[in-house]
Amino acid sequence: MKRRYFGTDGIRGQSNVFPMTPDLAMRVGIAAGMIFRRGNHRHRVVIGKDTRLSGYMLENAMVAGFTAAGLDAFVLGPIPTPAVAMLTRSLRADIGVMISASHNPYEDNGIKLFGPDGYKLSDDIETQIEELLEKDLYSQLAQSDDIGRAKRIDGVHDRYIEHAKRTLPRDVTLQGLRIAIDCANGAAYKVAPAVLWELGAEVVTIGNEPNGTNINLNCGSTSPVALQKKVDEVRADIGIALDGDADRVIIIDETGSIVDGDQLMAVIAESWAENQTLKGNGIVATVMSNLGLERFLGEKGMVLERTRVGDRYVVEHMRQHNFNVGGEQSGHIVLSDYGTTGDGLVAALQILAAVKRTGKTVSEVCRRFEPVPQLLRNVRTTGGRPLEDIQVKQAIADAEAELARNGRLVIRPSGTEPLIRVMAEGDDRGQIERIVNDLIGVISNVRTAAA
Protein backbone atom coordinates (compact mmCIF):
# COMPACT_ATOMS: atom_id res chain seq x y z
CA MET A 1 0.00 0.00 0.00
CA LYS A 2 1.35 3.41 -0.96
CA ARG A 3 1.62 5.65 2.11
CA ARG A 4 -0.70 8.63 1.82
CA TYR A 5 -0.24 10.31 5.18
CA PHE A 6 2.96 9.21 6.92
CA GLY A 7 6.38 10.47 5.85
CA THR A 8 9.80 9.85 7.36
CA ASP A 9 8.77 11.46 10.66
CA GLY A 10 5.06 10.96 11.19
CA ILE A 11 2.39 13.05 9.49
CA ARG A 12 3.30 16.61 8.59
CA GLY A 13 1.88 19.47 6.55
CA GLN A 14 0.40 22.95 6.61
CA SER A 15 -2.01 23.48 9.48
CA ASN A 16 -5.70 23.43 8.60
CA VAL A 17 -4.85 22.10 5.14
CA PHE A 18 -5.22 18.38 4.39
CA PRO A 19 -3.82 16.25 5.91
CA MET A 20 -3.15 18.45 8.96
CA THR A 21 -6.81 19.12 9.72
CA PRO A 22 -8.70 18.58 12.98
CA ASP A 23 -10.81 15.91 11.31
CA LEU A 24 -7.82 13.81 10.29
CA ALA A 25 -6.14 14.34 13.68
CA MET A 26 -9.24 12.99 15.38
CA ARG A 27 -9.36 10.03 13.00
CA VAL A 28 -5.68 9.28 13.67
CA GLY A 29 -6.50 9.25 17.37
CA ILE A 30 -9.35 6.81 16.82
CA ALA A 31 -7.32 4.56 14.50
CA ALA A 32 -4.20 4.49 16.68
CA GLY A 33 -6.35 3.99 19.76
CA MET A 34 -8.03 0.98 18.18
CA ILE A 35 -4.68 -0.62 17.31
CA PHE A 36 -3.19 -0.12 20.77
CA ARG A 37 -6.34 -1.02 22.70
CA ARG A 38 -5.10 -4.42 23.78
CA GLY A 39 -5.97 -6.39 26.90
CA ASN A 40 -8.44 -5.60 29.68
CA HIS A 41 -6.54 -2.82 31.47
CA ARG A 42 -7.51 0.84 31.40
CA HIS A 43 -5.72 2.19 28.33
CA ARG A 44 -3.98 5.55 28.23
CA VAL A 45 -2.26 7.90 25.81
CA VAL A 46 0.09 10.78 26.61
CA ILE A 47 -0.14 13.81 24.32
CA GLY A 48 2.52 16.52 24.16
CA LYS A 49 3.00 19.42 21.78
CA ASP A 50 5.30 22.28 20.91
CA THR A 51 4.31 25.95 20.97
CA ARG A 52 2.60 26.36 17.59
CA LEU A 53 -0.74 28.15 17.51
CA SER A 54 -2.32 25.17 15.74
CA GLY A 55 -1.27 22.88 18.58
CA TYR A 56 -4.37 23.79 20.57
CA MET A 57 -6.63 22.76 17.71
CA LEU A 58 -4.89 19.48 16.97
CA GLU A 59 -4.45 18.61 20.64
CA ASN A 60 -8.19 18.86 21.27
CA ALA A 61 -8.96 16.88 18.11
CA MET A 62 -6.63 14.06 19.12
CA VAL A 63 -8.00 14.00 22.66
CA ALA A 64 -11.47 13.60 21.13
CA GLY A 65 -10.28 10.76 18.91
CA PHE A 66 -8.46 8.80 21.58
CA THR A 67 -11.20 9.16 24.19
CA ALA A 68 -13.77 8.11 21.58
CA ALA A 69 -11.65 4.98 21.04
CA GLY A 70 -11.76 4.28 24.77
CA LEU A 71 -8.35 5.57 25.91
CA ASP A 72 -7.72 7.95 28.78
CA ALA A 73 -5.78 10.98 27.50
CA PHE A 74 -3.02 12.50 29.64
CA VAL A 75 -2.40 15.97 28.22
CA LEU A 76 1.14 17.25 28.84
CA GLY A 77 1.13 20.68 27.18
CA PRO A 78 4.31 22.12 25.59
CA ILE A 79 7.16 19.69 26.21
CA PRO A 80 10.09 18.29 24.15
CA THR A 81 9.62 15.28 21.92
CA PRO A 82 12.14 13.16 23.90
CA ALA A 83 10.15 13.92 27.06
CA VAL A 84 7.01 12.51 25.44
CA ALA A 85 8.92 9.34 24.53
CA MET A 86 10.26 9.06 28.08
CA LEU A 87 6.88 9.73 29.71
CA THR A 88 5.15 7.19 27.48
CA ARG A 89 7.25 4.53 29.18
CA SER A 90 7.34 6.13 32.62
CA LEU A 91 3.56 6.51 32.83
CA ARG A 92 3.02 3.04 31.31
CA ALA A 93 0.97 4.50 28.50
CA ASP A 94 -0.11 2.42 25.54
CA ILE A 95 0.85 5.11 23.06
CA GLY A 96 2.50 8.53 23.01
CA VAL A 97 1.80 11.49 20.72
CA MET A 98 3.90 14.56 19.94
CA ILE A 99 2.15 17.32 18.02
CA SER A 100 4.97 19.14 16.26
CA ALA A 101 6.50 19.91 12.88
CA SER A 102 9.96 19.99 14.46
CA HIS A 103 12.13 22.59 12.69
CA ASN A 104 9.44 23.72 10.22
CA PRO A 105 7.85 27.20 10.44
CA TYR A 106 4.78 27.76 12.61
CA GLU A 107 2.37 27.42 9.67
CA ASP A 108 3.14 23.69 9.58
CA ASN A 109 2.39 21.06 12.16
CA GLY A 110 2.69 17.32 12.50
CA ILE A 111 1.86 14.19 14.47
CA LYS A 112 4.55 11.85 15.77
CA LEU A 113 3.48 8.58 17.39
CA PHE A 114 5.35 6.43 19.91
CA GLY A 115 4.63 2.89 21.01
CA PRO A 116 4.49 1.80 24.66
CA ASP A 117 8.25 1.18 24.58
CA GLY A 118 8.89 4.85 23.74
CA TYR A 119 10.10 4.15 20.20
CA LYS A 120 8.55 5.65 17.08
CA LEU A 121 6.11 3.37 15.36
CA SER A 122 7.31 0.98 12.69
CA ASP A 123 6.34 1.32 9.03
CA ASP A 124 4.04 -1.69 9.48
CA ILE A 125 2.01 -0.10 12.27
CA GLU A 126 1.84 3.22 10.44
CA THR A 127 0.51 1.32 7.43
CA GLN A 128 -2.13 -0.30 9.63
CA ILE A 129 -3.21 3.15 10.82
CA GLU A 130 -3.41 4.39 7.23
CA GLU A 131 -5.58 1.43 6.27
CA LEU A 132 -7.96 2.18 9.14
CA LEU A 133 -8.15 5.85 8.14
CA GLU A 134 -9.72 4.77 4.85
CA LYS A 135 -12.43 2.73 6.60
CA ASP A 136 -15.56 3.48 8.62
CA LEU A 137 -14.08 4.12 12.06
CA TYR A 138 -17.27 5.29 13.69
CA SER A 139 -18.85 1.85 13.80
CA GLN A 140 -16.04 0.69 16.08
CA LEU A 141 -16.00 3.43 18.69
CA ALA A 142 -16.02 2.63 22.40
CA GLN A 143 -19.34 1.94 24.12
CA SER A 144 -20.82 4.81 26.11
CA ASP A 145 -19.52 3.55 29.44
CA ASP A 146 -16.04 2.87 27.99
CA ILE A 147 -15.35 6.37 26.64
CA GLY A 148 -11.99 7.65 27.88
CA ARG A 149 -11.33 10.53 30.24
CA ALA A 150 -8.95 13.43 29.65
CA LYS A 151 -6.87 15.34 32.16
CA ARG A 152 -3.82 17.57 32.23
CA ILE A 153 -0.85 16.11 34.05
CA ASP A 154 1.18 18.31 36.39
CA GLY A 155 4.86 17.81 37.17
CA VAL A 156 5.89 16.40 33.79
CA HIS A 157 8.47 19.16 33.31
CA ASP A 158 10.11 18.22 36.61
CA ARG A 159 10.26 14.58 35.58
CA TYR A 160 12.07 15.40 32.37
CA ILE A 161 14.41 17.88 34.07
CA GLU A 162 15.53 15.21 36.54
CA HIS A 163 15.87 12.64 33.76
CA ALA A 164 18.10 14.96 31.73
CA LYS A 165 20.24 15.89 34.74
CA ARG A 166 20.90 12.23 35.52
CA THR A 167 22.48 11.72 32.08
CA LEU A 168 25.41 13.94 33.05
CA PRO A 169 28.16 11.85 34.73
CA ARG A 170 28.06 12.19 38.52
CA ASP A 171 31.61 13.52 38.73
CA VAL A 172 30.84 16.39 36.35
CA THR A 173 29.13 19.71 37.07
CA LEU A 174 28.69 22.72 34.83
CA GLN A 175 30.04 25.19 37.35
CA GLY A 176 32.33 27.76 35.78
CA LEU A 177 30.69 27.56 32.37
CA ARG A 178 28.75 30.39 30.78
CA ILE A 179 26.22 28.81 28.43
CA ALA A 180 24.03 30.60 25.92
CA ILE A 181 21.03 28.56 24.85
CA ASP A 182 18.50 29.19 22.08
CA CYS A 183 15.24 27.33 22.70
CA ALA A 184 13.79 28.25 19.27
CA ASN A 185 10.67 29.63 21.00
CA GLY A 186 9.70 25.99 21.12
CA ALA A 187 8.90 23.08 23.37
CA ALA A 188 12.02 23.28 25.55
CA TYR A 189 11.74 26.95 26.47
CA LYS A 190 11.13 26.10 30.13
CA VAL A 191 12.96 22.85 30.75
CA ALA A 192 16.29 23.31 28.93
CA PRO A 193 17.49 26.47 30.75
CA ALA A 194 16.35 24.93 34.03
CA VAL A 195 18.48 21.80 33.50
CA LEU A 196 21.61 23.80 32.73
CA TRP A 197 21.11 26.17 35.65
CA GLU A 198 20.44 23.38 38.14
CA LEU A 199 23.65 21.67 37.02
CA GLY A 200 25.63 24.77 38.00
CA ALA A 201 26.06 26.77 34.80
CA GLU A 202 25.59 30.47 34.26
CA VAL A 203 22.80 30.48 31.68
CA VAL A 204 21.91 33.12 29.10
CA THR A 205 18.70 32.25 27.29
CA ILE A 206 17.19 33.44 24.02
CA GLY A 207 14.29 32.05 22.02
CA ASN A 208 12.27 31.50 25.20
CA GLU A 209 9.27 33.75 24.55
CA PRO A 210 6.92 31.70 22.36
CA ASN A 211 3.78 33.41 21.11
CA GLY A 212 2.39 30.69 18.85
CA THR A 213 3.84 32.08 15.64
CA ASN A 214 7.54 32.64 16.34
CA ILE A 215 8.70 29.04 16.76
CA ASN A 216 11.92 28.52 14.72
CA LEU A 217 11.58 32.08 13.40
CA ASN A 218 15.11 33.43 12.93
CA CYS A 219 16.22 31.29 15.84
CA GLY A 220 17.01 27.73 16.84
CA SER A 221 19.18 25.08 15.23
CA THR A 222 18.13 25.93 11.68
CA SER A 223 18.85 29.65 12.10
CA PRO A 224 21.76 29.98 14.56
CA VAL A 225 22.84 33.53 13.68
CA ALA A 226 21.08 35.01 16.72
CA LEU A 227 22.85 32.54 19.01
CA GLN A 228 26.22 33.24 17.37
CA LYS A 229 25.71 36.93 18.14
CA LYS A 230 24.69 36.17 21.72
CA VAL A 231 27.73 33.94 22.30
CA ASP A 232 29.96 36.78 21.14
CA GLU A 233 28.01 39.41 23.10
CA VAL A 234 28.15 37.64 26.48
CA ARG A 235 31.46 35.86 25.81
CA ALA A 236 29.88 32.50 26.41
CA ASP A 237 31.92 29.31 26.53
CA ILE A 238 29.37 27.52 24.38
CA GLY A 239 26.07 28.07 22.59
CA ILE A 240 23.36 25.40 22.40
CA ALA A 241 20.73 25.74 19.67
CA LEU A 242 17.70 23.47 19.87
CA ASP A 243 14.90 23.16 17.33
CA GLY A 244 11.17 23.59 17.86
CA ASP A 245 10.59 20.23 19.54
CA ALA A 246 14.12 19.91 21.00
CA ASP A 247 15.00 16.59 19.41
CA ARG A 248 17.98 18.09 17.58
CA VAL A 249 20.88 20.34 18.55
CA ILE A 250 23.59 22.45 16.95
CA ILE A 251 26.53 23.76 19.00
CA ILE A 252 28.19 27.16 18.67
CA ASP A 253 31.75 27.18 19.97
CA GLU A 254 33.39 30.10 21.79
CA THR A 255 34.63 31.54 18.48
CA GLY A 256 31.11 31.64 17.04
CA SER A 257 31.65 28.71 14.67
CA ILE A 258 28.89 26.16 14.07
CA VAL A 259 29.41 22.54 15.12
CA ASP A 260 27.06 20.14 13.34
CA GLY A 261 25.75 16.71 14.26
CA ASP A 262 28.59 14.83 12.56
CA GLN A 263 31.21 16.51 14.75
CA LEU A 264 29.06 15.98 17.84
CA MET A 265 28.72 12.26 17.14
CA ALA A 266 32.48 12.04 16.66
CA VAL A 267 33.08 13.66 20.06
CA ILE A 268 30.63 11.38 21.85
CA ALA A 269 31.85 8.23 20.11
CA GLU A 270 35.49 8.97 20.92
CA SER A 271 34.67 9.88 24.53
CA TRP A 272 32.53 6.81 25.09
CA ALA A 273 35.14 4.56 23.47
CA GLU A 274 37.73 5.88 25.92
CA ASN A 275 35.32 5.20 28.79
CA GLN A 276 34.59 1.74 27.37
CA THR A 277 30.87 2.48 27.21
CA LEU A 278 30.54 2.62 23.42
CA LYS A 279 28.60 -0.29 21.94
CA GLY A 280 28.94 -1.63 18.41
CA ASN A 281 32.46 -0.20 18.09
CA GLY A 282 31.14 2.83 16.25
CA ILE A 283 28.03 4.79 15.39
CA VAL A 284 25.01 4.69 13.11
CA ALA A 285 24.33 7.67 10.85
CA THR A 286 22.51 8.35 7.60
CA VAL A 287 23.69 8.60 4.02
CA MET A 288 23.91 12.38 4.52
CA SER A 289 26.72 12.28 7.09
CA ASN A 290 30.04 13.61 5.90
CA LEU A 291 32.70 11.32 4.47
CA GLY A 292 35.14 13.01 6.85
CA LEU A 293 33.28 11.46 9.80
CA GLU A 294 33.62 8.01 8.28
CA ARG A 295 37.34 8.51 7.72
CA PHE A 296 37.86 9.84 11.27
CA LEU A 297 36.13 6.84 12.83
CA GLY A 298 38.11 4.47 10.62
CA GLU A 299 41.38 6.01 11.79
CA LYS A 300 40.24 5.40 15.38
CA GLY A 301 39.37 1.77 14.65
CA MET A 302 35.63 2.44 14.73
CA VAL A 303 32.92 1.95 12.13
CA LEU A 304 30.23 4.13 10.61
CA GLU A 305 27.13 2.25 9.51
CA ARG A 306 24.74 4.24 7.30
CA THR A 307 20.97 4.15 6.94
CA ARG A 308 18.39 6.00 4.87
CA VAL A 309 17.52 9.51 6.03
CA GLY A 310 15.32 9.72 9.13
CA ASP A 311 16.24 9.28 12.78
CA ARG A 312 13.70 6.45 13.09
CA TYR A 313 15.78 4.38 10.64
CA VAL A 314 18.92 5.19 12.59
CA VAL A 315 17.23 3.97 15.76
CA GLU A 316 15.98 0.78 14.10
CA HIS A 317 19.53 -0.05 12.97
CA MET A 318 20.91 0.75 16.41
CA ARG A 319 18.45 -1.62 18.04
CA GLN A 320 19.03 -4.40 15.55
CA HIS A 321 22.83 -4.25 15.76
CA ASN A 322 23.41 -3.14 19.38
CA PHE A 323 24.78 0.38 18.89
CA ASN A 324 24.21 3.06 21.51
CA VAL A 325 25.25 6.18 19.55
CA GLY A 326 23.63 7.33 16.34
CA GLY A 327 22.18 10.34 14.63
CA GLU A 328 22.08 12.73 11.74
CA GLN A 329 24.24 15.57 10.49
CA SER A 330 21.29 17.91 11.14
CA GLY A 331 21.70 17.38 14.88
CA HIS A 332 19.39 14.49 15.75
CA ILE A 333 21.59 12.62 18.21
CA VAL A 334 20.22 9.37 19.64
CA LEU A 335 21.91 8.01 22.76
CA SER A 336 20.07 4.81 23.55
CA ASP A 337 21.59 4.51 27.02
CA TYR A 338 19.41 7.50 27.93
CA GLY A 339 16.46 7.58 25.55
CA THR A 340 14.61 6.13 22.62
CA THR A 341 14.68 9.10 20.25
CA GLY A 342 16.77 12.16 19.43
CA ASP A 343 17.34 14.45 22.41
CA GLY A 344 19.13 17.73 21.73
CA LEU A 345 19.59 18.66 25.38
CA VAL A 346 20.95 15.28 26.48
CA ALA A 347 23.38 15.26 23.53
CA ALA A 348 24.57 18.74 24.50
CA LEU A 349 25.19 17.53 28.05
CA GLN A 350 27.51 14.82 26.72
CA ILE A 351 29.49 17.47 24.85
CA LEU A 352 29.66 19.59 28.01
CA ALA A 353 30.92 16.56 29.93
CA ALA A 354 33.77 16.15 27.43
CA VAL A 355 34.60 19.86 27.71
CA LYS A 356 34.70 19.74 31.50
CA ARG A 357 36.75 16.55 31.69
CA THR A 358 39.39 17.67 29.20
CA GLY A 359 39.59 21.26 30.40
CA LYS A 360 39.78 22.34 26.75
CA THR A 361 37.71 24.89 24.88
CA VAL A 362 34.65 23.84 22.93
CA SER A 363 36.42 24.56 19.63
CA GLU A 364 39.28 22.25 20.61
CA VAL A 365 36.96 19.48 21.76
CA CYS A 366 34.48 19.62 18.89
CA ARG A 367 36.76 19.95 15.87
CA ARG A 368 37.44 16.22 15.53
CA PHE A 369 37.89 16.02 11.75
CA GLU A 370 38.12 18.15 8.65
CA PRO A 371 34.84 17.78 6.73
CA VAL A 372 35.06 16.75 3.10
CA PRO A 373 33.59 19.45 0.81
CA GLN A 374 29.87 18.75 0.65
CA LEU A 375 27.12 20.56 -1.22
CA LEU A 376 23.38 20.06 -0.72
CA ARG A 377 20.78 21.78 -2.90
CA ASN A 378 17.03 21.31 -3.17
CA VAL A 379 14.71 21.28 -6.17
CA ARG A 380 11.07 22.05 -5.39
CA THR A 381 8.64 19.67 -7.08
CA THR A 382 5.06 20.23 -8.14
CA GLY A 383 4.15 16.65 -8.93
CA GLY A 384 5.35 13.94 -11.25
CA ARG A 385 8.38 11.71 -10.76
CA PRO A 386 11.40 13.45 -12.24
CA LEU A 387 13.82 10.91 -10.70
CA GLU A 388 12.30 8.23 -12.93
CA ASP A 389 13.00 10.21 -16.12
CA ILE A 390 15.57 8.56 -18.38
CA GLN A 391 17.62 11.77 -18.77
CA VAL A 392 17.79 12.22 -15.01
CA LYS A 393 18.74 8.59 -14.48
CA GLN A 394 21.57 8.89 -17.00
CA ALA A 395 22.85 12.12 -15.45
CA ILE A 396 22.88 10.48 -12.02
CA ALA A 397 24.72 7.44 -13.34
CA ASP A 398 27.36 9.63 -14.99
CA ALA A 399 27.85 11.63 -11.78
CA GLU A 400 28.16 8.47 -9.66
CA ALA A 401 30.78 7.09 -12.02
CA GLU A 402 32.78 10.32 -11.82
CA LEU A 403 32.70 10.29 -8.00
CA ALA A 404 33.23 6.56 -7.59
CA ARG A 405 36.76 6.76 -6.21
CA ASN A 406 36.82 9.99 -4.25
CA GLY A 407 33.32 10.96 -3.16
CA ARG A 408 29.62 10.19 -2.82
CA LEU A 409 26.35 11.22 -4.40
CA VAL A 410 22.96 11.10 -2.64
CA ILE A 411 19.73 12.10 -4.40
CA ARG A 412 16.43 11.58 -2.65
CA PRO A 413 12.94 13.02 -2.28
CA SER A 414 12.34 14.79 1.01
CA GLY A 415 10.12 12.88 3.41
CA THR A 416 8.63 16.05 4.89
CA GLU A 417 8.54 18.65 2.09
CA PRO A 418 7.86 18.66 -1.71
CA LEU A 419 11.58 18.74 -2.51
CA ILE A 420 14.23 16.61 -4.18
CA ARG A 421 17.50 16.84 -2.31
CA VAL A 422 20.76 16.61 -4.29
CA MET A 423 23.92 16.10 -2.25
CA ALA A 424 27.45 15.40 -3.41
CA GLU A 425 30.73 15.33 -1.54
CA GLY A 426 34.34 14.72 -2.42
CA ASP A 427 37.86 16.03 -2.06
CA ASP A 428 37.58 18.40 -5.05
CA ARG A 429 35.17 21.25 -4.20
CA GLY A 430 35.03 22.51 -7.78
CA GLN A 431 34.08 19.09 -9.07
CA ILE A 432 31.34 18.78 -6.43
CA GLU A 433 29.82 22.16 -7.28
CA ARG A 434 29.81 21.36 -10.98
CA ILE A 435 28.18 17.95 -10.49
CA VAL A 436 25.43 19.28 -8.20
CA ASN A 437 24.67 22.25 -10.43
CA ASP A 438 24.51 20.04 -13.51
CA LEU A 439 22.11 17.62 -11.82
CA ILE A 440 19.93 20.45 -10.54
CA GLY A 441 19.71 21.75 -14.09
CA VAL A 442 18.69 18.39 -15.54
CA ILE A 443 16.06 17.77 -12.85
CA SER A 444 14.67 21.30 -13.19
CA ASN A 445 14.40 20.98 -16.96
CA VAL A 446 12.53 17.70 -16.66
CA ARG A 447 10.23 19.17 -14.01
CA THR A 448 9.51 22.23 -16.18
CA ALA A 449 8.81 20.09 -19.25
CA ALA A 450 6.43 17.89 -17.27
CA ALA A 451 4.54 20.93 -15.97
Side-chain angles (χ1 to χ4, degrees):
M1 175 181 172
K2 182 180 178 181
R3 291 155 65 93
R4 183 182 180 191
Y5 305 103
F6 286 92
T8 56
D9 197 14
I11 303 172
R12 191 176 298 185
Q14 185 177 346
S15 301
N16 249 3
V17 176
F18 185 84
M20 289 313 305
T21 61
D23 175 67
L24 186 78
M26 183 178 68
R27 291 177 63 82
V28 170
I30 296 172
M34 289 169 55
I35 289 174
F36 284 89
R37 194 172 59 199
R38 304 164 179 168
N40 297 320
H41 64 280
R42 191 71 186 178
H43 296 82
R44 58 176 59 171
V45 56
V46 297
I47 302 176
K49 63 179 181 179
D50 62 24
T51 57
R52 295 164 207 271
L53 181 62
S54 57
Y56 295 98
M57 172 184 73
L58 297 173
E59 176 186 66
N60 288 327
M62 298 210 74
V63 167
F66 279 111
T67 54
L71 279 72
D72 292 335
F74 289 4
V75 183
L76 310 179
I79 197 166
T81 288
V84 172
M86 183 268 291
L87 289 164
T88 301
R89 292 180 299 160
S90 176
L91 295 172
R92 295 184 67 182
D94 298 275
I95 190 168
V97 178
M98 180 63 181
I99 301 171
S100 174
S102 191
H103 60 281
N104 286 28
Y106 91 93
E107 293 92 345
D108 295 341
N109 216 327
I111 299 170
K112 303 180 185 183
L113 300 174
F114 297 90
D117 56 2
Y119 287 97
K120 291 180 180 178
L121 301 187
S122 67
D123 287 343
D124 288 342
I125 295 179
E126 288 183 349
T127 298
Q128 291 178 43
I129 293 173
E130 290 215 352
E131 290 173 348
L132 285 174
L133 291 175
E134 301 299 322
K135 297 179 179 178
D136 176 18
L137 294 172
Y138 301 114
S139 63
Q140 303 183 54
L141 299 181
Q143 298 296 315
S144 297
D145 56 351
D146 291 327
I147 293 173
R149 303 173 185 270
K151 63 178 179 179
R152 292 199 172 269
I153 303 297
D154 297 324
V156 291
H157 287 164
D158 295 334
R159 285 192 185 213
Y160 177 70
I161 287 170
E162 289 305 315
H163 162 76
K165 287 165 59 180
R166 286 197 299 270
T167 66
L168 193 72
R170 290 186 177 183
D171 61 336
V172 176
T173 74
L174 302 184
Q175 291 183 356
L177 287 179
R178 179 177 295 166
I179 300 175
I181 182 166
D182 183 350
C183 299
N185 291 314
Y189 78 100
K190 289 184 178 180
V191 295
V195 168
L196 299 173
W197 185 84
E198 291 182 19
L199 288 170
E202 178 186 348
V203 184
V204 178
T205 306
I206 63 174
N208 63 331
E209 297 180 354
N211 62 15
T213 62
N214 62 358
I215 185 171
N216 300 315
L217 180 62
N218 300 321
C219 60
S221 62
T222 54
S223 184
V225 174
L227 183 60
Q228 290 174 300
K229 292 179 179 178
K230 183 59 66 173
V231 167
D232 179 64
E233 175 189 331
V234 303
R235 297 185 179 181
D237 299 294
I238 187 174
I240 299 171
L242 304 174
D243 70 337
D245 68 335
D247 66 351
R248 68 165 70 178
V249 63
I250 293 296
I251 295 295
I252 306 299
D253 68 24
E254 78 285 357
T255 72
S257 298
I258 296 173
V259 182
D260 68 13
D262 284 347
Q263 297 283 0
L264 301 182
M265 287 188 285
V267 174
I268 296 171
E270 187 175 27
S271 177
W272 285 21
E274 292 173 355
N275 296 335
Q276 298 184 337
T277 56
L278 184 69
K279 297 177 182 177
N281 190 38
I283 68 174
V284 180
T286 75
V287 293
M288 302 301 288
S289 279
N290 194 277
L291 185 59
L293 172 61
E294 187 172 347
R295 292 173 176 174
F296 167 80
L297 293 171
E299 292 170 358
K300 298 290 183 179
M302 293 182 279
V303 299
L304 171 64
E305 298 196 3
R306 296 183 184 268
T307 72
R308 59 193 288 195
V309 172
D311 64 307
R312 57 183 295 189
Y313 303 114
V314 170
V315 173
E316 287 176 5
H317 193 91
M318 291 171 65
R319 297 179 72 186
Q320 292 170 1
H321 301 280
N322 197 32
F323 286 81
N324 61 349
V325 177
E328 297 184 284
Q329 186 184 67
S330 60
H332 281 115
I333 310 295
V334 183
L335 306 175
S336 60
D337 288 357
Y338 304 125
T340 56
T341 190
D343 191 324
L345 180 59
V346 168
L349 290 176
Q350 294 303 306
I351 301 301
L352 290 166
V355 170
K356 290 290 289 186
R357 281 177 166 170
T358 61
K360 297 180 179 179
T361 64
V362 175
S363 59
E364 292 174 310
V365 168
C366 290
R367 192 70 176 186
R368 305 317 303 154
F369 63 88
E370 188 65 33
V372 170
Q374 185 182 81
L375 180 61
L376 170 64
R377 288 186 62 191
N378 300 320
V379 182
R380 186 160 294 275
T381 60
T382 55
R385 298 178 179 178
L387 294 184
E388 296 181 8
D389 182 87
I390 189 169
Q391 295 180 34
V392 174
K393 287 184 175 181
Q394 185 60 53
I396 292 173
D398 292 344
E400 287 176 334
E402 186 176 348
L403 284 172
R405 295 183 178 180
N406 61 349
R408 295 189 311 123
L409 178 68
V410 179
I411 300 179
R412 66 179 186 87
S414 169
T416 58
E417 299 175 83
L419 303 172
I420 292 176
R421 305 194 190 279
V422 179
M423 189 278 283
E425 63 179 354
D427 296 314
D428 185 337
R429 181 177 295 277
Q431 179 191 40
I432 294 303
E433 292 178 351
R434 175 177 51 78
I435 286 174
V436 169
N437 290 333
D438 288 348
L439 286 171
I440 290 289
V442 173
I443 295 171
S444 298
N445 288 337
V446 169
R447 180 199 62 182
T448 301

